[in-house]
Amino acid sequence: MTAEALPEHPDFLWRNPDPKRSYDVVIVGAGGHGLATAYYLAKNHGITNVAVLEKGWLAGGNMARNTTIIRSNYLWDESAAIYEHALKLWEGLPEELDYDFLFSQRGVLNLAHTLQDVREGVRRVNANRLNGVDAEWLEPDEVAKVCPILNVSSRTRYPVLGATFQPRAGIAKHDHVAWALARRADELGVDLIQGCEVTGFLKDGDRVVGVDTNRGRIHAGRVGLAAAGHSSVLAERAGVRLPVQSHPLQALVSELHEPVHPTVVMSNHVHVYVSQAHKGELVMGAGVDSYNGYGQRGSFHVIEQQMAAAVELFPIFARAHVLRTWGGIVDVTPDASPIIGSTPVAGLYVNCGWGTGGFKATPAAGWTFAHTVATGEPHPLNAPFALDRFTTGALIDEHGAAAVAH
Amino acid sequence: MLLITCPWCGPRNETEYHYGGQAHVPYPESPADLTDEQWAEFVFYRDNPKGPFAERWMHSIGCRRWFNVLRDTATHEVLTSYRLDEPRPGGNR
């Protein structure tokens, strides 16, 4: 890894307009997914009379709190298709958006510590290859070549028995991704409206025709929800019940260090995932807290366990200091796959349930959700992720490849 | 870390417990009569409120008994805990 200069801190990248009385489309939530949806509504579908409403500040929710990992090594065909579409979009986005958000394809290792992990990993590598996703199975000595600071000794409590490796995976600078999308969406005519909380929905019969907000009533031809952890709270105001549960998910960073960690390492079994940001922080995450919560903070024992795992895997981290910890609220579905599609309320669409892994999907979530909102029909990539799969039973069970316990 | 009071053992740290999701979700009275939509509701749909939430916890490294907790999901405040055969304090289910 080379130390790259950080992009210049930008000046004003988007206008700050007051909401108009009516729009063709209102998107609720100006995180990565909401911004990407607005961008592709304008770019792919020519729909520019769009407002993105954000109760806080732009990209200040989970977009500001995630561990920025991008990969597409999911097990099932439906997931591989949508996450690989995202990864291909990521590969072109810095140029397309004319913004270097430091997308770095440094690869991801998903470690195996048990025989069952090994079997699951090898199976997933084979499934990935059949789906055109780059994937390799590495033995412990090969793992050590990719990431020399990783302890692959057989004398640890949970020895590294191998790993899946996706070389095209990586990280990106999350804030800059949001700003890049916001700037382009704004240039295309989209109104990005911060400090605007949706408090209710306007309906005409069974159809949604607008939203009530703390900044007045806004009429809309169609409304798309992209509110992550608060999706069910929001949908309930429209009379829609969603099969999601909101949990705190914590992450932390260390103080700055010289570049030591060349890739991304994830471990499902001992449960920690680590990469090193461009600036030098070690960025670490673990699993969700077991209980439901909206407090944007979690329990300390989760951090203790993830740190214990990190120090066993990376002995050189033992004297690194934690600089800061934080929590985000993730909306988890029963099959650990997202919901992207229509709702029982006409004109109301939902993009939610990304759980712990929404960041990597940002471009594809925006691409498919924009298609759905623009046409009223699912894109082939998000058709399997419809709300009705919980009734038909056609679940897409990605608890294994989701890589974060939830 | 949450401080949760087991009705039998008293207040203990969250790490002694296992979380069991929403409380007061009865098994269908006549399962054979349920539609697919009703089955989906029973199997996959749970409340997800921002505020007081009645949920099940099990004192897994104590007495190993299940009980219910009323907890505010926005503030993390544990409001009260009660036995499975007791109604939710304050009504509302």
Side-chain angles (χ1 to χ4, degrees):
Chain A
M1 185 171 80
T2 57
E4 295 169 69
L6 293 173
E8 287 293 307
H9 195 282
D11 207 12
F12 294 101
L13 291 180
W14 56 87
R15 298 163 295 127
N16 214 8
D18 288 323
K20 294 192 288 190
R21 290 189 45 136
S22 119
Y23 291 92
D24 293 340
V25 175
V26 161
I27 301 294
V28 185
H33 287 204
L35 294 168
T37 303
Y39 170 64
Y40 288 119
L41 273 172
K43 176 172 178 269
N44 291 0
H45 303 279
I47 300 174
T48 57
N49 186 23
V50 175
V52 184
L53 310 183
E54 169 56 52
K55 73 173 175 182
W57 61 91
L58 189 135
N62 290 357
M63 192 64 173
R65 296 160 200 269
N66 68 81
T67 51
T68 81
I69 297 165
I70 294 166
R71 60 189 178 88
S72 65
N73 55 351
Y74 277 69
L75 176 66
W76 300 109
D77 295 351
E78 299 87 345
S79 314
I82 196 164
Y83 287 106
E84 179 60 16
H85 183 64
L87 184 46
K88 285 184 175 139
L89 289 171
W90 280 116
E91 287 171 330
L93 267 185
E95 190 179 0
E96 179 180 324
L97 300 175
D98 189 24
Y99 200 122
D100 180 12
F101 47 71
L102 301 182
F103 176 49
S104 164
Q105 290 179 288
R106 58 184 64 187
V108 63
L109 289 164
N110 287 81
L111 304 181
H113 300 274
T114 68
L115 186 55
Q116 182 56 32
D117 277 355
V118 171
R119 289 171 176 151
E120 193 278 330
V122 172
R123 180 192 181 195
R124 187 137 58 89
V125 163
N126 290 330
N128 289 163
R129 288 183 167 183
L130 288 170
N131 278 315
V133 175
D134 58 319
E136 299 166 35
W137 175 256
L138 303 185
E139 296 295 330
D141 58 324
E142 298 168 306
V143 172
K145 281 182 197 146
V146 174
C147 189
I149 58 171
L150 195 55
N151 181 8
V152 296
S153 153
S154 60
R155 299 177 62 82
T156 57
R157 183 174 178 191
Y158 296 108
V160 175
L161 301 181
T164 67
F165 185 51
Q166 183 181 20
R168 285 165 61 241
I171 58 173
K173 195 142 178 66
H174 50 323
D175 294 331
H176 292 257
V177 171
W179 299 340
L181 287 165
R183 179 178 66 169
R184 276 285 179 266
D186 176 86
E187 283 172 3
L188 292 165
V190 172
D191 282 358
L192 306 174
I193 301 166
Q194 306 176 72
C196 184
E197 181 173 7
V198 170
T199 54
F201 291 83
L202 310 177
K203 282 191 189 172
D204 180 6
D206 288 338
R207 168 166 281 278
V208 73
V209 293
V211 292
D212 272 322
T213 78
N214 60 342
R215 296 181 64 177
R217 180 163 284 189
I218 302 172
H219 294 272
R222 288 172 180 184
V223 176
L225 307 183
H230 282 73
S231 292
S232 67
V233 173
L234 199 56
E236 196 173 294
R237 291 181 189 149
V240 173
R241 192 161 149 89
L242 295 173
V244 300
Q245 297 281 287
S246 297
H247 292 264
L249 173 65
Q250 300 180 84
L252 59 89
V253 292
S254 73
E255 61 201 328
L256 308 186
H257 295 283
E258 291 293 317
V260 290
H261 185 3
T263 183
V264 182
V265 170
M266 311 186 76
S267 168
N268 244 350
H269 191 74
V270 299
H271 222 110
V272 67
Y273 38 99
V274 192
S275 63
Q276 187 169 17
H278 294 83
K279 208 162 59 180
E281 310 102 313
L282 300 165
V283 184
M284 298 188 196
V288 300
D289 281 61
S290 63
Y291 52 77
N292 292 30
Y294 291 93
Q296 293 189 324
R297 66 183 191 276
S299 288
F300 190 70
H301 66 89
V302 173
I303 293 174
E304 281 185 305
Q305 285 165 5
Q306 100 187 48
M307 297 287 268
V311 170
E312 175 134 329
L313 286 173
F314 301 92
I316 72 163
F317 292 176
R319 296 177 69 185
H321 293 107
V322 171
L323 194 67
R324 140 176 118 250
T325 76
W326 64 90
I329 304 304
V330 299
D331 50 338
V332 176
T333 61
D335 61 356
S337 287
I339 300 165
I340 323 159
S342 58
T343 70
V345 175
L348 182 69
Y349 301 89
V350 67
N351 168 63
C352 72
W354 291 91
T356 57
F359 176 72
K360 70 173 82 71
T362 299
W367 183 284
T368 57
F369 197 42
H371 178 98
T372 302
V373 171
T375 66
E377 298 292 330
H379 185 281
L381 286 172
N382 69 303
F385 296 97
L387 185 56
D388 71 2
R389 74 176 184 274
F390 298 100
T391 304
T392 63
L395 303 184
I396 304 163
D397 185 359
E398 286 290 6
H399 281 281
V404 176
H406 61 237
Chain B
M1 186 178 297
L2 303 176
L3 182 63
I4 298 170
T5 301
C6 168
W8 293 279
C9 308
R12 303 291 173 84
N13 282 335
E14 173 195 342
T15 45
E16 293 201 9
Y17 298 96
H18 175 78
Y19 184 65
Q22 184 178 352
H24 309 295
V25 181
Y27 190 78
E29 280 185 18
S30 48
D33 299 333
L34 259 52
T35 64
D36 287 352
E37 286 73 21
Q38 288 167 323
W39 269 121
E41 180 77 17
F42 173 67
V43 175
F44 295 123
Y45 285 73
R46 294 291 179 269
D47 294 343
N48 190 28
K50 187 175 188 176
F53 186 41
E55 57 196 11
R56 302 180 303 172
W57 289 80
M58 198 255 277
H59 195 183
S60 45
I61 60 170
C63 64
R64 298 195 54 77
R65 284 194 268 194
W66 285 95
F67 60 99
N68 291 338
V69 171
L70 193 64
R71 187 177 60 88
D72 190 309
T73 62
T75 64
H76 290 195
E77 187 184 358
V78 177
L79 301 167
T80 186
S81 51
Y82 55 103
R83 296 195 316 265
L84 295 182
D85 57 356
E86 295 176 313
R88 171 174 167 158
N92 219 353
R93 283 174 196 266

